[in-house]
Amino acid sequence: MSTQTKSTGIVLDYVKTVGIVNNGYNGRGFANPYDIAVGGDNRIFVLNRCDPLRAAAIRVGICNLDDDYLGEFGRGFGAGDEQFVWPVAMALDSRDRLHITDEHNHRVTIYDTAGNASAKFLSHWGIPGAGDGELNGPAGIAIDSSDVVFVVDQHNSRVQKFASDGKFIANWGSFGSGDGQFNLPWGAAVDNDDNIYIADWRNDRIQKFTNDGEFLAAFGSSGDGEGQFQRPTSVAVDPEGFIYVADWGNERVQVLGPDGSFQLILRGEATVSKWAEAYFESNPEEKAERDISNLLPELPAHLNTPYHISSQTEPFFWGPVSVSLDREGRLYVAETNRHRFQVYQKR
């Protein structure tokens, strides 16, 4: 089943799917995953935001591409040292310190993951407000080659730049739709030249800036066509400059060239994960129900929307909220509604 609009400039091959819904409070599986970060040792950190009824289960799970579940950390709902309320995004620095934003607690929490089976809490920084260095709903986060931290200050309509210890350096941006302005910005990324990319959610575009906040370019417009976006939530940039965008409202991932030109669309190609296979082996009655289900239905015209199509078509992305890259050129797409992630390999 081909679900890619192909480009001659870049090819992404589907690799596998990892995940299964976890309705409990710990253990293998995910609960509304919101972001992924991949360490240099190829451990995969998955941020479980969880729904409000299971907020106590908020945590970061750790797995690998061999489908081993390696552990978890975080202590669920709250404002304590290792707790979160509305965690959004993660980024690893050069020393394997994992930075996690929390839009409700208005802060960034840092864990040491180097040499740890799980992770060790280090600190958190950030206070609510609209002044320099203060945060109001921090969302996306990105870290450059010098371990400078960039935080998308969502409700202040700006990007803030911090030293690794949380010391304020600078900020830029204001509310609006002009160059360098934002309307509920969300995701963030850096490229090999330490330029900054921001998923400008309500403006349906990606903006590119220098490391010091000088506007360079904007890519995209509102819509469902090639190169158009509907509420983009995440952005990543590979070493060749290709730009990957979680086109959340269109239930897809788009890839742009370094100049912002459209390259390809991914809709999702999920297969049953090893965790799901193990579940079906233990629950044959569930497997029997699955076998008679129509997982690729033809929907009536009034349901011909990205949301309805993806919600009824199991291989497709449903809630593709984040895109992440590892050092081997693999793309990870986290699906918050199907509690899994899909992996693609760039040729």
Side-chain angles (χ1 to χ4, degrees), residues 92-146:
L92 282 160
D93 68 13
S94 66
R95 290 188 279 172
D96 290 323
R97 294 175 301 187
L98 187 66
H99 297 62
I100 306 172
T101 57
D102 186 328
E103 63 176 313
H104 183 274
N105 286 325
H106 308 292
R107 68 187 188 189
V108 176
T109 298
I110 300 99
Y111 285 87
D112 177 16
T113 70
N116 293 302
S118 179
K120 177 183 178 182
F121 170 77
L122 294 177
S123 64
H124 56 72
W125 48 259
I127 59 173
D132 289 348
E134 297 175 340
L135 299 169
N136 187 358
I141 186 168
I143 300 176
D144 73 10
S145 62
S146 299

Coordinates of all heavy atoms in Angstrom, one line a residue, residues 92-146:
L92 N 17.4 16.8 23.4 CA 18.6 16.4 24.0 C 19.8 17.3 23.7 O 19.9 17.7 22.5 CB 19.0 15.0 23.6 CG 18.2 13.8 24.2 CD1 18.3 12.6 23.3 CD2 18.7 13.5 25.6
D93 N 20.6 17.6 24.7 CA 21.8 18.4 24.4 C 23.0 17.5 24.1 O 22.9 16.3 24.1 CB 22.0 19.4 25.5 CG 22.5 18.8 26.8 OD1 22.8 17.6 26.9 OD2 22.4 19.6 27.8
S94 N 24.2 18.1 24.0 CA 25.4 17.3 23.7 C 25.9 16.4 24.8 O 26.6 15.5 24.6 CB 26.5 18.3 23.3 OG 26.9 19.0 24.4
R95 N 25.4 16.6 26.0 CA 25.7 15.8 27.2 C 24.6 14.8 27.5 O 24.6 14.3 28.7 CB 26.1 16.7 28.3 CG 27.4 17.4 28.1 CD 27.8 18.1 29.4 NE 27.2 19.4 29.5 CZ 27.2 20.2 30.6 NH1 28.0 19.8 31.7 NH2 26.6 21.3 30.7
D96 N 23.7 14.6 26.6 CA 22.6 13.7 26.8 C 21.6 14.1 28.0 O 21.0 13.3 28.6 CB 23.0 12.2 27.1 CG 23.6 11.6 25.8 OD1 23.1 11.9 24.7 OD2 24.6 10.9 25.9
R97 N 21.5 15.4 28.1 CA 20.6 15.9 29.1 C 19.3 16.2 28.3 O 19.3 16.9 27.3 CB 21.1 17.2 29.8 CG 22.3 17.0 30.6 CD 22.9 18.3 31.2 NE 23.3 19.2 30.1 CZ 23.9 20.3 30.2 NH1 24.2 20.8 31.5 NH2 24.2 21.1 29.2
L98 N 18.2 15.6 28.8 CA 16.9 15.7 28.2 C 16.1 16.9 28.8 O 15.9 16.9 30.0 CB 16.1 14.4 28.4 CG 14.8 14.3 27.6 CD1 15.1 14.3 26.1 CD2 14.1 13.0 28.0
H99 N 15.7 17.8 27.9 CA 15.0 19.0 28.3 C 13.5 18.8 27.9 O 13.2 18.5 26.8 CB 15.5 20.3 27.7 CG 16.9 20.6 28.1 ND1 18.0 19.7 27.8 CD2 17.5 21.7 28.7 CE1 19.1 20.3 28.3 NE2 18.8 21.5 28.8
I100 N 12.6 19.0 28.8 CA 11.2 18.8 28.6 C 10.4 20.0 29.0 O 10.5 20.5 30.1 CB 10.7 17.6 29.4 CG1 11.5 16.3 29.1 CG2 9.2 17.3 29.1 CD1 11.2 15.1 30.0
T101 N 9.6 20.5 28.0 CA 8.7 21.7 28.3 C 7.4 21.2 29.0 O 6.9 20.2 28.7 CB 8.4 22.5 27.1 OG1 7.8 21.7 26.1 CG2 9.7 23.1 26.5
D102 N 6.9 22.1 29.8 CA 5.6 21.9 30.4 C 4.8 23.2 30.3 O 5.1 24.2 31.0 CB 5.8 21.5 31.9 CG 4.5 21.1 32.6 OD1 3.4 21.6 32.3 OD2 4.6 20.2 33.5
E103 N 3.8 23.2 29.5 CA 3.1 24.4 29.2 C 2.2 24.9 30.4 O 1.8 26.1 30.4 CB 2.2 24.3 27.9 CG 1.1 23.3 27.9 CD 0.3 23.4 26.6 OE1 -0.1 24.5 26.2 OE2 0.0 22.3 26.1
H104 N 1.8 24.0 31.3 CA 1.0 24.4 32.4 C 1.9 24.9 33.6 O 1.6 25.9 34.2 CB 0.2 23.2 32.9 CG -0.7 23.6 34.1 ND1 -0.3 23.5 35.4 CD2 -2.0 24.0 34.1 CE1 -1.3 23.9 36.2 NE2 -2.4 24.2 35.4
N105 N 3.0 24.2 33.8 CA 3.9 24.6 34.9 C 4.9 25.7 34.4 O 5.7 26.2 35.3 CB 4.7 23.4 35.4 CG 3.9 22.5 36.3 OD1 3.0 23.0 37.0 ND2 4.2 21.2 36.2
H106 N 4.8 26.1 33.2 CA 5.6 27.2 32.6 C 7.1 27.0 32.9 O 7.8 28.0 33.4 CB 5.1 28.6 33.2 CG 3.6 28.8 33.1 ND1 3.0 29.0 31.9 CD2 2.7 28.8 34.0 CE1 1.7 29.1 32.1 NE2 1.5 29.0 33.4
R107 N 7.6 25.9 32.6 CA 9.0 25.6 32.9 C 9.6 24.5 32.0 O 8.9 23.9 31.3 CB 9.1 25.2 34.4 CG 8.5 23.8 34.7 CD 8.5 23.5 36.2 NE 8.1 22.2 36.5 CZ 7.9 21.7 37.7 NH1 8.0 22.5 38.8 NH2 7.5 20.5 37.9
V108 N 10.9 24.4 32.1 CA 11.6 23.3 31.5 C 12.3 22.4 32.5 O 12.9 22.9 33.5 CB 12.7 23.9 30.6 CG1 13.6 22.8 29.9 CG2 12.1 24.8 29.5
T109 N 12.1 21.1 32.4 CA 12.6 20.2 33.3 C 13.7 19.4 32.7 O 13.6 19.0 31.5 CB 11.5 19.2 33.8 OG1 10.5 19.9 34.5 CG2 12.1 18.1 34.8
I110 N 14.9 19.2 33.4 CA 16.0 18.6 32.8 C 16.4 17.3 33.5 O 16.4 17.2 34.8 CB 17.3 19.5 32.8 CG1 17.0 20.8 32.1 CG2 18.5 18.8 32.2 CD1 16.5 21.9 32.9
Y111 N 16.6 16.2 32.7 CA 17.1 14.9 33.2 C 18.4 14.6 32.6 O 18.7 14.9 31.4 CB 16.1 13.8 32.9 CG 14.8 13.8 33.7 CD1 13.7 14.6 33.3 CD2 14.7 13.0 34.8 CE1 12.5 14.5 34.0 CE2 13.5 12.9 35.5 CZ 12.4 13.7 35.1 OH 11.3 13.7 35.8
D112 N 19.2 13.9 33.4 CA 20.5 13.3 32.8 C 20.2 11.9 32.4 O 19.8 11.1 33.2 CB 21.6 13.3 33.9 CG 22.9 12.7 33.5 OD1 23.0 12.5 32.2 OD2 23.7 12.3 34.3
T113 N 20.4 11.6 31.1 CA 20.2 10.3 30.5 C 21.5 9.6 30.2 O 21.4 8.4 29.8 CB 19.3 10.3 29.3 OG1 20.0 10.9 28.2 CG2 18.0 11.1 29.5
A114 N 22.6 10.2 30.4 CA 23.9 9.6 30.0 C 24.3 8.6 31.0 O 24.4 8.8 32.2 CB 25.0 10.7 29.9
G115 N 24.5 7.4 30.5 CA 25.0 6.3 31.4 C 24.0 5.8 32.4 O 24.3 5.1 33.3
N116 N 22.7 6.2 32.3 CA 21.7 5.8 33.2 C 20.8 4.8 32.5 O 20.4 4.9 31.4 CB 20.9 7.0 33.7 CG 21.7 8.0 34.5 OD1 22.2 7.6 35.5 ND2 21.8 9.2 34.0
A117 N 20.4 3.8 33.3 CA 19.4 2.8 32.8 C 18.1 3.5 32.5 O 17.4 3.2 31.5 CB 19.2 1.7 33.7
S118 N 17.8 4.5 33.3 CA 16.6 5.3 33.1 C 17.0 6.7 32.9 O 17.5 7.1 31.8 CB 15.6 5.1 34.3 OG 14.5 5.9 34.1
A119 N 16.9 7.6 33.9 CA 17.3 9.0 33.8 C 17.3 9.5 35.2 O 16.6 9.1 36.1 CB 16.3 9.8 33.0
K120 N 18.1 10.5 35.4 CA 18.3 11.2 36.8 C 17.8 12.6 36.7 O 18.3 13.4 35.8 CB 19.7 11.1 37.2 CG 20.0 11.8 38.5 CD 21.5 11.7 38.8 CE 21.8 12.5 40.2 NZ 23.2 12.5 40.4
F121 N 16.9 13.0 37.5 CA 16.4 14.3 37.6 C 17.5 15.3 38.0 O 18.3 15.0 38.9 CB 15.2 14.5 38.6 CG 14.8 15.9 38.8 CD1 14.1 16.6 37.9 CD2 15.2 16.5 40.0 CE1 13.8 18.0 38.1 CE2 14.9 17.9 40.2 CZ 14.1 18.6 39.3
L122 N 17.7 16.4 37.2 CA 18.7 17.4 37.5 C 18.1 18.6 38.1 O 18.5 19.1 39.2 CB 19.5 17.7 36.3 CG 20.4 16.5 35.7 CD1 21.1 17.0 34.5 CD2 21.4 16.1 36.8
S123 N 17.2 19.2 37.4 CA 16.7 20.5 37.8 C 15.5 20.9 36.9 O 15.2 20.2 35.9 CB 17.8 21.6 37.7 OG 18.2 21.8 36.3
H124 N 14.9 22.1 37.2 CA 14.0 22.7 36.3 C 14.1 24.2 36.4 O 14.6 24.7 37.5 CB 12.5 22.3 36.5 CG 12.0 22.5 37.9 ND1 11.7 23.8 38.4 CD2 11.7 21.6 38.9 CE1 11.2 23.6 39.6 NE2 11.2 22.4 40.0
W125 N 13.8 24.9 35.4 CA 13.9 26.4 35.4 C 12.7 27.0 34.6 O 12.1 26.3 33.8 CB 15.2 26.9 35.0 CG 15.8 26.4 33.7 CD1 16.7 25.4 33.6 CD2 15.4 26.8 32.3 NE1 17.0 25.2 32.2 CE2 16.3 26.0 31.5 CE3 14.5 27.7 31.8 CZ2 16.2 26.1 30.1 CZ3 14.5 27.8 30.4 CH2 15.3 27.0 29.6
G126 N 12.4 28.2 34.9 CA 11.3 28.9 34.3 C 10.2 29.4 35.3 O 9.9 28.6 36.2
I127 N 9.8 30.6 35.1 CA 8.7 31.1 35.9 C 7.6 31.7 35.0 O 8.0 32.2 33.9 CB 9.2 32.2 37.0 CG1 9.9 33.3 36.2 CG2 10.1 31.6 38.0 CD1 10.2 34.5 37.1
P128 N 6.4 31.7 35.4 CA 5.3 32.3 34.6 C 5.4 33.8 34.4 O 5.8 34.5 35.4 CB 4.0 31.8 35.2 CG 4.4 31.6 36.7 CD 5.8 31.2 36.7
G129 N 5.0 34.3 33.3 CA 5.0 35.7 33.1 C 5.3 36.1 31.7 O 5.4 35.3 30.8
A130 N 5.4 37.4 31.4 CA 5.6 37.9 30.0 C 6.9 38.8 29.9 O 7.2 39.3 28.9 CB 4.4 38.8 29.6
G131 N 7.7 38.8 31.0 CA 8.9 39.5 31.0 C 10.0 38.7 30.3 O 9.9 37.6 30.0
D132 N 11.2 39.3 30.2 CA 12.3 38.6 29.6 C 12.6 37.4 30.5 O 12.8 37.5 31.7 CB 13.6 39.5 29.6 CG 13.5 40.6 28.6 OD1 12.6 40.6 27.7 OD2 14.3 41.6 28.6
G133 N 12.7 36.2 29.8 CA 13.0 35.0 30.5 C 11.9 34.3 31.2 O 12.0 33.2 31.6
E134 N 10.7 35.0 31.2 CA 9.5 34.4 31.8 C 8.7 33.7 30.7 O 8.8 34.0 29.5 CB 8.7 35.5 32.5 CG 9.4 36.1 33.6 CD 8.6 37.3 34.2 OE1 7.7 37.8 33.5 OE2 8.9 37.7 35.4
L135 N 7.9 32.7 31.1 CA 7.3 31.8 30.1 C 5.8 31.8 30.3 O 5.3 31.8 31.5 CB 7.8 30.4 30.2 CG 9.3 30.2 30.0 CD1 9.8 28.8 30.4 CD2 9.7 30.5 28.5
N136 N 5.1 31.7 29.2 CA 3.6 31.5 29.3 C 3.2 30.4 28.3 O 3.1 30.7 27.1 CB 2.9 32.8 29.0 CG 1.4 32.7 29.2 OD1 0.9 31.6 29.5 ND2 0.7 33.8 29.0
G137 N 3.2 29.2 28.8 CA 2.8 28.0 27.9 C 3.9 27.6 27.0 O 3.8 27.5 25.8
P138 N 5.1 27.3 27.5 CA 6.2 26.9 26.7 C 5.9 25.6 26.0 O 5.3 24.6 26.6 CB 7.4 26.7 27.7 CG 6.7 26.4 29.0 CD 5.5 27.3 29.0
A139 N 6.2 25.5 24.7 CA 5.8 24.4 23.8 C 7.1 23.8 23.2 O 7.8 23.0 23.9 CB 4.8 24.8 22.8
G140 N 7.4 24.0 22.0 CA 8.5 23.4 21.3 C 9.8 23.9 22.0 O 10.0 24.9 22.6
I141 N 10.8 23.0 21.8 CA 12.2 23.3 22.3 C 13.2 22.7 21.4 O 13.0 21.6 20.8 CB 12.3 22.7 23.8 CG1 13.6 23.1 24.4 CG2 12.1 21.2 23.8 CD1 13.7 22.8 25.9
A142 N 14.3 23.4 21.2 CA 15.4 23.0 20.4 C 16.7 23.5 21.0 O 16.7 24.5 21.6 CB 15.2 23.5 18.9
I143 N 17.8 22.7 20.7 CA 19.1 23.0 21.3 C 20.1 23.0 20.2 O 20.2 22.1 19.4 CB 19.4 22.0 22.4 CG1 18.3 22.0 23.5 CG2 20.8 22.2 23.0 CD1 18.5 20.9 24.6
D144 N 20.9 24.1 20.2 CA 21.9 24.2 19.1 C 23.2 23.5 19.4 O 23.3 22.8 20.5 CB 22.1 25.7 18.7 CG 22.8 26.5 19.7 OD1 23.4 25.9 20.6 OD2 22.9 27.7 19.5
S145 N 24.2 23.7 18.5 CA 25.4 22.9 18.7 C 26.3 23.4 19.9 O 27.2 22.7 20.3 CB 26.3 23.1 17.4 OG 26.6 24.4 17.1
S146 N 25.9 24.6 20.4 CA 26.6 25.1 21.6 C 25.8 24.9 22.9 O 26.1 25.5 23.9 CB 26.9 26.6 21.4 OG 27.7 26.8 20.3

